[in-house]
Amino acid sequence: MKEEIVFITKEGRKAAVYFAGGKINTNESLTALEERLEKYQFYRSHSGFIVNLNMIREIIPISRNTFELVMAHTRERPLMTYEKFKEFEKLFNW
């Protein structure tokens, strides 16, 4: 099931898990979900987003400090901070 997750984001006090077919809401925090997924191919791209690395199709700069991620299976575009982008480049040779 974790392979089907496109990204996870914070919506109010809850987290929303986006899949190819929609989304589900959970009462877990992003931090708790991040810890559960740390041994899989997920990355905390922003304080409000955890993304599935296998679903990233493109990274688009939208400002000096922010990038949008084009993801497979959704029109939603999670964000990535400049600092996380630099870390991402080093970790994954993007």
Side-chain angles (χ1 to χ4, degrees), residues 3 16 23 26 29 35 42 44 47 54 57 67 76 82:
E3 298 84 16
K23 74 173 184 173
T26 176
S29 69
E35 289 171 4
F42 288 87
R44 185 77 175 253
S47 61
N54 297 315
R57 297 296 175 251
F67 297 81
E76 300 288 331
Y82 178 78

Side-chain angles (χ1 to χ4, degrees), residues 8-91:
I8 305 166
T9 188
K10 191 164 65 170
E11 291 185 355
R13 292 178 173 237
K14 299 180 180 183
V17 180
Y18 282 78
F19 296 89
K23 74 173 184 173
I24 60 169
N25 292 318
T26 176
N27 290 326
E28 288 191 71
S29 69
L30 282 182
T31 302
L33 290 168
E34 181 181 23
E35 289 171 4
R36 287 178 57 193
L37 294 168
E38 70 184 354
K39 59 185 170 194
Y40 303 104
Q41 294 290 311
F42 288 87
Y43 183 68
R44 185 77 175 253
S45 65
H46 183 279
S47 61
F49 293 96
I50 300 168
V51 297
N52 183 335
L53 293 171
N54 297 315
M55 299 286 185
I56 297 173
R57 297 296 175 251
E58 189 175 356
I59 300 173
I60 302 170
I62 59 170
S63 73
R64 257 177 102 188
N65 298 314
T66 309
F67 297 81
E68 275 186 345
L69 303 177
V70 177
M71 307 296 287
H73 308 297
T74 185
R75 291 181 183 215
E76 300 288 331
R77 293 192 172 178
L79 299 177
M80 180 180 282
T81 64
Y82 178 78
E83 293 80 17
K84 288 293 192 171
F85 176 73
K86 287 305 199 186
E87 179 182 289
F88 178 85
E89 281 185 315
K90 287 179 186 175
L91 289 172

